[in-house]
Amino acid sequence: MSNRIITISREFGSGGRTIGRLAAQKLGVACYDQELIDKIAQESGLFRKYVEEHAEDARGWMDLVSSHDYYGRSVGDKLFSAQTKVIRELADKESCVIVGRCADYILGEYDNVLKVFIHASMDKRAERIVNQYGERTEAPIQRLKEKDRKRRAYYQMYTDRRWGAMENYHVALDSGVVGIERCAEIIAGLY
Amino acid sequence: MSNRIITISREFGSGGRTIGRLAAQKLGVACYDQELIDKIAQESGLFRKYVEEHAEDARGWMDLVSSHDYYGRSVGDKLFSAQTKVIRELADKESCVIVGRCADYILGEYDNVLKVFIHASMDKRAERIVNQYGERTEAPIQRLKEKDRKRRAYYQMYTDRRWGAMENYHVALDSGVVGIERCAEIIAGLY
């Protein structure tokens, strides 16, 4: 297997998505992030918007788990199974950067994967979501905590691992201290 | 404050000490590791051997906590207080690399500190302690787990933080995947 994959797991507001894009640019490979949503929607037969809202953040995941299809499978399981298939197919097909969506866990047995985690302090992330993502300026820290809580719950539920536990990553960087561009350089340099 | 400090926290057998020395060499600054023990012994008035055995790994820390001096202070607290004083004095005096001894926590309020954590898989660490540190070849993983448990307990007791929690470090690297030399390069490059 000669493909090489970088998975980027990240706290909301840490700039992990931007770092993934920059690293992929430097390496001349594709970066899959939002693009995964279309593929997962196609694979699962679920609406794109539904996938977008549920594929990572466990927005209303209790609904997801308690809704079942004709075969008795929960919609959440169906979504995760489509996500797994799409991510494994990508990893088998080409060298790339994959952002989020439990790719670190889904590709856990692959030995050609560099697993990265990007995090930052609450203050830095709050600054970023207001200034860069154009989010509302009210109570950003409260919204970050809510996001963290949902993403952690989703990850824990599907992987049975603690989200952000250091032992699951080869490189973990505080983007607020190291800087977005420098994070991308380090990751690309390790590829 | 113009000094710049790197603290390196590390799992036993991950090569953190070697990485600290290499990074310090690249930067032309001192690396404090075993050297701290003499300073802490001098500051606390405790025997060097005693400091060496108790200053980090919580070998018999229950003894430490339950032994008290003339003023009713536990020997463990006395040791930690000497350790804090020595590490802060160093950080105020010169740019340097400090390995272990809760320096990341002790210098928590300093804004001129790059906090690094080095870890590796059990297999890689077991290989390292047998081949590099010349430890016994029997049950290395069992001994690693014991070391981890003690180091974690000591850290938790004196800092009230979870040992190895990602949010407490700016850079965390898996030395088994990234490589010892490369870890040192990344750290020195971020200085």
Side-chain angles (χ1 to χ4, degrees), chain A residues 47-67:
Chain A
F47 288 116
R48 193 190 184 286
K49 191 162 169 51
Y50 192 86
V51 173
E52 190 171 11
E53 285 180 355
H54 293 88
E56 190 169 40
D57 287 353
R59 265 178 268 192
W61 62 269
M62 285 306 289
D63 285 357
L64 218 69
V65 178
S66 52
S67 316

Side-chain angles (χ1 to χ4, degrees), chain B residues 26 43 45 64 78 87 95 122 128 131-132 134 152 184:
Chain B
K26 287 178 199 295
E43 178 65 37
L64 217 69
K78 194 168 168 176
I87 287 174
S95 292
M122 277 287 170
R128 190 171 174 86
N131 297 340
Q132 306 274 322
R152 192 179 299 122

Side-chain angles (χ1 to χ4, degrees), chain A:
Chain A
M1 199 183 287
S2 60
N3 294 335
R4 296 166 80 190
I5 318 293
I6 296 175
T7 63
I8 300 196
S9 312
R10 74 288 181 231
E11 287 181 344
F12 184 65
S14 68
R17 179 179 296 183
T18 309
I19 292 168
R21 296 231 167 265
L22 286 172
Q25 269 172 25
K26 286 178 199 295
L27 296 166
V29 301
C31 177
Y32 292 100
D33 173 22
Q34 298 291 345
E35 298 81 356
L36 287 174
I37 293 169
D38 290 319
K39 289 179 189 287
I40 296 167
Q42 205 171 359
E43 177 64 38
S44 63
L46 295 164
F47 288 116
R48 193 190 184 286
K49 191 162 169 51
Y50 192 86
V51 173
E52 190 171 11
E53 285 180 355
H54 293 88
E56 190 169 40
D57 287 353
R59 265 178 268 192
W61 62 269
M62 285 306 289
D63 285 357
L64 218 69
V65 178
S66 52
S67 316
H68 292 78
D69 68 6
Y70 185 78
Y71 305 98
R73 201 163 59 142
S74 85
V75 181
D77 287 353
K78 194 167 168 177
L79 190 54
F80 194 77
S81 146
Q83 189 165 319
T84 301
K85 189 159 179 247
V86 164
I87 288 173
R88 289 204 176 137
E89 277 174 4
L90 271 179
D92 290 338
K93 189 167 69 70
E94 64 181 274
S95 292
C96 58
V97 175
I98 303 176
V99 179
R101 289 171 187 84
C102 306
D104 59 301
Y105 172 78
I106 289 170
L107 301 177
E109 289 153 28
Y110 285 53
D111 59 5
N112 55 340
V113 178
L114 180 73
K115 295 177 185 171
V116 177
F117 193 92
I118 305 291
H119 59 104
S121 69
M122 277 287 170
D123 288 349
K124 289 277 182 185
R125 288 160 62 202
E127 197 183 300
R128 191 170 174 86
I129 64 169
V130 170
N131 296 338
Q132 306 274 321
Y133 304 176
E135 292 240 348
R136 283 176 292 123
T137 50
E138 302 91 53
I141 289 187
Q142 195 179 322
R143 275 176 299 131
L144 282 171
K145 283 187 180 164
E146 179 78 355
K147 271 274 196 187
D148 285 351
R149 200 173 58 77
K150 286 178 175 171
R151 210 170 262 188
R152 193 178 300 121
Y154 181 86
Y155 188 87
Q156 171 89 39
M157 182 170 148
Y158 282 103
T159 70
D160 202 22
R161 298 203 300 202
R162 202 164 48 79
W163 189 62
M166 206 178 275
E167 64 269 24
N168 298 330
Y169 303 95
H170 305 136
V171 182
L173 299 169
D174 180 331
S175 61
V177 170
V178 173
I180 298 285
E181 176 64 39
R182 198 58 183 271
C183 284
E185 275 169 25
I186 291 174
I187 295 164
L190 284 173
Y191 188 62

Side-chain angles (χ1 to χ4, degrees), chain B residues 122 125 144-152:
Chain B
M122 277 287 170
R125 289 159 61 201
L144 282 171
K145 283 187 179 165
E146 179 78 353
K147 271 274 195 186
D148 285 351
R149 201 172 58 75
K150 286 179 175 170
R151 210 170 262 187
R152 192 179 299 122

Side-chain angles (χ1 to χ4, degrees), chain B residues 33-52:
Chain B
D33 172 23
Q34 298 290 347
E35 299 80 355
L36 287 174
I37 293 169
D38 290 319
K39 288 179 190 286
I40 296 167
Q42 206 171 358
E43 178 65 37
S44 63
L46 296 164
F47 287 117
R48 192 189 185 287
K49 189 161 171 52
Y50 193 85
V51 173
E52 190 171 12

